[in-house]
Amino acid sequence: MAASPSQKNQLFLGLFIHSIRLGELQYLHDAAVCVDKGGKIVAVELPCDQEKAEDKLYPSLGWTPGDVLVTAAKDGQFFFPGFVDTHLHAPQYPNVGIFGKSTLLDWLNTYTFPMEASMAELPRARRVYARCVRRTLAHGTTTAAYFATIDVAATNLLADLCLAAGQRAFVGRVCMDRLGPEYYLDASPAAAAAAARASIDHIRTIDPGFALVSPVLTPRFAPACSAAALAELGALRRETGLPVQTHVSENADEVALVARLFPGHASYAEVYDAHGLLEGGRTILAHAVHLTDAEADLVARRRAGVAHCPCSNTALTSGEAPVRWLLDKGIAVGLGTDMSGGYSPSVLEAARQTVLVSNHLAMPAAAAGVERAPDSHRQPPDDNERARAKLSVEEVLHLATRGGAEVVGLSDRVGGFEAGKEWDAQLIGLAAVPDGGGEEDGGRAGAGAADEGNVDVFGWETWEDRVAKWVFGGDDRNVRKVWVRGRLVHSRSPS
Ligand code: GUN
Ligand code: ZN
């Protein structure tokens, strides 16, 4: 079951929009992107139409027209890099939206551990995971960093399903040998390490080079892991060089619990560092809401990345992660849906909430409540810092694509439309309101009233404004097609 790129070379034509640096989107109008049979971008040319591509690009690539599949964005549509969801829990998918008034630690016990444990029943896991993968693809998520469960067979099934559906994925068997209910715990640190190995071995058999699906070492979070279990995983990290994902400093009670459980350590992040889980430049830390100054410096020095999960942080009342501050520290930041702490499978929703949470940080009321965690040594922000907290549409789209790619260690392969990168992309369509149209079509805007969502474009908006309208009003109805490594993995009909 190999990852199967497209069988043909491909030519994509039209408008391409991608982030070239934090805060700057590039608009490539009337452009052509050539993608080879392996799913790699081999040429980017503009201006360029099909005729010019056939005359100029094909000969230089050794292509003949019969060998090329052509996809042209229609007027008003654009190609955008696929989203990277740097943090989500596939087994929690059925719980999306269900969190009541809980906060992290009671949410885990009430909703999360029982649901995760139930995935040991494989037909149930198949149903949930298949749906989760399809749904996230439909929202334009081409790369996902998944937490699975402690169950090896169900974790392996998730990896199989990602590979079959063509989603680029990191799949982690969750290690936890304490804090959870008795029925949902690793038997010992050694058993946790053995189970992690078993899942790594499985993924190596289905995708030997980890071209599409990779294992990721996944200690749930420090409170759920004994020091011995963390040490086992740290040793496994050194041995394999695999990436690591975990949670850090999400909630004030959790931070206090870590201080109680690991009294000899300087901080939460330092617990991971002391067990060899922060080094190597391949660690994804989810949340990082309440990091101290010294912790953020440590994370930056170790080149670990942060998965910012605003939907979850707000839903579980965890706090407002200071994203600008993290970026200023030189830490790579991507976006995570954190389903089902987060209530949505959409990275676009996470991007939107990233803007809104950053606006909250810029409000004086947020400054008044700045004692984010009892142990925080951060200074309250001054007016200037507060104003800088605000993140723009362009900045959050960077985090959703290139920033995420950096966090998961794929910045040489995905996140933008340069030659040499792989074609992980989505075709976005917005509803064009017809000239003179409006009431007489019963509000069914757009040519043929194709289901293009609720972002109405009148035609006079700049492209910058259209992108902003997409970020704040868009959803999966705007995602017409999705490709990973050149393979079409989702299509919304009619196109
Ligand atoms: N911390 C430990 N486990 C979890 C989890 O499943 N979700 C979130 N949001 N935080 C966690
Ligand atoms: Zn999480």
Side-chain angles (χ1 to χ4, degrees), residues 9 22 147 198 204 209 241 251 293 295 320 378 381 399 402 474:
N9 296 311
L22 184 69
F147 278 55
R204 198 174 276 122
N251 156 296
D293 209 46
E295 279 182 299
E320 295 146 320
R378 256 185 286 149
L399 302 185
R402 244 181 245 275

Side-chain angles (χ1 to χ4, degrees), residues 246-249 267-273 277-307 325-327 329-333 407:
T246 189
H247 301 86
V248 77
S249 287
S267 67
Y268 194 159
E270 198 271 329
V271 170
Y272 293 134
D273 195 43
L277 290 162
L278 217 52
E279 63 203 42
R282 299 194 75 188
T283 298
I284 307 167
L285 297 169
H287 302 284
V289 177
H290 304 288
L291 291 185
T292 64
D293 209 46
E295 279 182 299
D297 289 338
L298 173 64
V299 169
R301 271 201 311 285
R302 296 290 184 259
R303 293 177 297 111
V306 165
W325 180 76
L326 294 168
L327 290 168
K329 290 275 185 191
I331 297 170
V333 178
V407 167

Side-chain angles (χ1 to χ4, degrees), residues 132 180 211 319 373 393 463:
C132 175
V393 160
W463 268 105

Side-chain angles (χ1 to χ4, degrees), residues 173-472:
R173 208 248 16 153
V174 171
C175 294
M176 47 186 283
D177 64 346
R178 64 177 179 185
L179 189 81
E182 214 173 306
Y183 61 83
Y184 189 55
L185 283 180
D186 288 323
S188 67
R197 277 184 195 280
S199 187
I200 294 165
D201 289 346
H202 174 78
I203 296 174
R204 198 174 276 122
T205 62
I206 62 168
D207 190 2
F210 304 151
L212 200 74
V213 179
S214 168
V216 51
L217 300 170
T218 306
R220 177 168 214 119
F221 67 156
C225 298
S226 64
L230 292 177
E232 289 273 5
L233 290 189
L236 200 48
R237 194 210 67 71
R238 274 199 200 102
E239 177 192 322
T240 60
L242 285 171
V244 174
Q245 61 180 357
T246 189
H247 301 86
V248 77
S249 287
E250 174 177 358
N251 156 296
D253 291 340
E254 170 211 17
V255 174
L257 179 58
V258 172
R260 282 202 302 281
L261 292 170
F262 294 91
H265 292 270
S267 67
Y268 194 159
E270 198 271 329
V271 170
Y272 293 134
D273 195 43
H275 294 90
L277 290 162
L278 217 52
E279 63 203 42
R282 299 194 75 188
T283 298
I284 307 167
L285 297 169
H287 302 284
V289 177
H290 304 288
L291 291 185
T292 64
D293 209 46
E295 279 182 299
D297 289 338
L298 173 64
V299 169
R301 271 201 311 285
R302 296 290 184 259
R303 293 177 297 111
V306 165
H308 174 50
C309 306
C311 299
S312 169
N313 293 342
T314 300
L316 297 182
T317 342
S318 299
E320 295 146 320
V323 172
R324 175 78 64 202
W325 180 76
L326 294 168
L327 290 168
D328 286 348
K329 290 275 185 191
I331 297 170
V333 178
L335 301 185
T337 58
D338 191 27
M339 287 199 291
S340 67
Y343 53 81
S344 166
S346 162
V347 173
L348 193 69
E349 175 71 23
R352 175 184 307 149
Q353 291 300 325
T354 296
V355 172
L356 298 183
V357 168
S358 79
N359 286 0
H360 275 278
L361 281 172
M363 296 179 200
V370 79
E371 320 87 47
R372 292 187 177 86
D375 65 332
S376 175
H377 301 123
R378 256 185 286 149
Q379 294 300 310
D382 60 23
D383 286 354
N384 191 28
E385 191 187 334
R386 231 178 28 239
R388 286 194 68 248
K390 288 178 77 156
L391 294 161
S392 66
V393 160
E394 288 78 9
E395 286 174 318
V396 300
L397 288 175
H398 180 89
L399 302 185
T401 54
R402 244 181 245 275
E406 204 182 334
V407 167
V408 302
L410 290 176
S411 42
D412 55 336
R413 287 164 65 185
V414 304
F417 291 137
E418 297 82 32
K421 286 226 163 50
E422 295 175 17
W423 179 253
D424 284 22
Q426 42 184 327
L427 177 64
I428 302 298
L430 306 175
V433 180
D435 240 359
E439 289 172 38
E440 64 280 8
D441 73 345
R444 288 156 65 244
D451 181 18
E452 300 238 6
N454 59 2
V455 184
D456 282 338
V457 172
F458 292 88
W460 57 67
E461 299 91 340
T462 63
W463 268 105
E464 286 78 0
D465 287 345
R466 291 179 205 198
V467 168
K469 290 176 79 159
W470 170 53
V471 166
F472 285 103

